Amino acid sequence: MQPSATARTSRAVFLDVDGTYADFGVVPTGHVRAVREAREAGHRVLLCTGRPVPMLSASILEAGFDGVVASAGAYVKVAGEVLVDRRFSADLAARAMAVLDAHDVVYILESQECLYVPKGAIERLRTIIEAHFQRGSDGKAVGSSVILDALKPITNAVNVSFAKISVFDSPIPMDRLADQVGRDIAIIENSIAGEGRHAGELYQRGISKADGVAAVAAHLGINRGDTVAIGDGQNDLEMIAYAGVGIAIEGSSPELMALADRTAAPPHREGLVAAFADLGLFLSAKLS
């Protein structure tokens, strides 16, 4: 689908964070300006990320946003109002944690309040996260600290409520973990997996970022055709397919590229500036 041809139509723009809006936790200055200019022009701009709220640093939020779709669609908040907050059922949580602990997996239980981690895995997790963010030119302090500072040891698993599980190191592949957890669980590999680890996310089957896009659009009274989704990962497939305009970051998977209406350059080239300008989201051409 294509966007409305009316220049002054208010659109809702949904931005993935990692690899789209930011690179290793670092946001290009051009992206900050682009978000602010688009909002000044009357458009709504929201983050739409696999991260839970505690993983969104002050530097990521600095531009100012109209809301957030977090935990890959399990949590949606607009202008201070929570629209969606879907968490693991007690049964699913117990099954998942039993499997993970049996295999001595390094993982985080992601809630919108904090990040829960098994006591015995904290130092292993710290090593993995710091090594990952070290790959960015200057993102280590920004990227790793926001995660590490939000960690809370699990003391009573029964009382832990969470929306998604991030696996950072597993001795067995992600699909085998999911099979052992059983029904109602789905998986996706993440960037840590690209570093030679069995890693990724375990989430509730049937939830996606597209659900968040739909919930926000309905709440704001914005037509589906006037939504824009921009992303680069496998958890962006549904929202790219759903949005009125789907934009994939150059270098994304062939599957995502095939779904997208357009492409944009990656963060280190400030690709969102040109993408926003091409969509007519600015009041003037000064940022293009």
Side-chain angles (χ1 to χ4, degrees):
M1 289 181 290
Q2 295 299 317
S4 169
T6 303
R8 295 191 178 277
T9 296
S10 179
R11 296 179 185 151
V13 183
F14 297 83
L15 304 176
D16 170 56
V17 172
D18 300 293
T20 300
Y21 183 61
D23 192 17
F24 290 94
V26 178
V27 182
T29 56
H31 284 185
V32 173
R33 295 197 311 270
V35 168
R36 289 175 175 170
E37 179 73 8
R39 295 185 70 215
E40 288 175 6
H43 303 291
R44 306 297 185 95
V45 185
L46 304 94
L47 294 177
C48 194
T49 177
R51 295 185 182 212
V53 171
M55 284 191 187
L56 297 174
S57 66
S59 61
I60 289 175
L61 299 172
E62 177 187 1
F65 293 89
D66 293 286
V68 60
V69 176
S71 296
Y75 182 82
V76 180
K77 188 175 184 179
V78 177
E81 181 179 352
V82 176
L83 306 182
V84 178
D85 189 359
R86 298 176 64 181
R87 309 197 182 200
F88 276 45
S89 67
D91 173 67
L92 181 58
R95 285 190 279 124
M97 293 175 66
V99 170
L100 295 172
D101 291 340
H103 291 289
D104 195 26
V105 172
V106 178
Y107 65 91
I108 287 176
L109 306 178
E110 301 179 359
S111 80
Q112 310 311 324
E113 296 77 38
C114 64
L115 309 176
Y116 297 100
V117 61
K119 285 184 180 180
I122 291 178
E123 289 308 312
R124 293 162 61 196
L125 179 64
R126 180 181 300 276
T127 299
I128 293 168
I129 290 175
E130 290 185 342
H132 171 69
F133 282 99
Q134 185 65 54
R135 295 174 60 208
S137 59
D138 60 355
K140 180 180 178 182
V142 174
S144 62
S145 63
V146 67
I147 298 175
L148 297 174
D149 291 348
L151 297 180
K152 182 177 182 179
I154 298 172
T155 56
N156 185 346
V158 175
N159 294 330
V160 174
S161 174
F162 57 92
K164 186 163 63 69
I165 304 173
S166 279
V167 172
F168 288 83
D169 195 11
S170 169
I172 65 173
M174 292 295 298
D175 57 353
R176 286 182 58 192
L177 284 178
D179 287 343
Q180 291 181 26
V181 174
R183 65 187 184 280
D184 303 326
I185 204 75
I187 64 166
I188 190 166
E189 291 196 350
N190 62 23
S191 56
I192 300 289
E195 298 170 17
R197 303 177 184 276
H198 293 309
E201 299 174 358
L202 298 173
Y203 62 96
Q204 300 168 80
R205 185 176 298 280
I207 297 178
S208 76
K209 290 184 179 182
D211 299 315
V213 173
V216 172
H219 179 73
L220 296 177
I222 293 176
N223 294 328
R224 177 178 173 182
D226 291 316
T227 60
V228 178
I230 310 177
D232 75 315
Q234 290 303 101
N235 66 357
D236 297 316
L237 289 169
E238 292 86 355
M239 78 166 183
I240 293 294
Y242 179 87
V245 177
I247 302 177
I249 300 301
E250 295 171 4
S252 299
S253 70
E255 188 178 6
L256 189 67
M257 295 289 280
L259 287 173
D261 301 297
R262 309 182 184 193
T263 61
H268 70 271
R269 289 164 49 199
E270 298 192 341
L272 295 187
V273 176
F276 278 32
D278 290 344
L279 290 169
L281 299 180
F282 301 141
L283 288 172
S284 68
K286 63 182 180 181
L287 287 181
S288 62

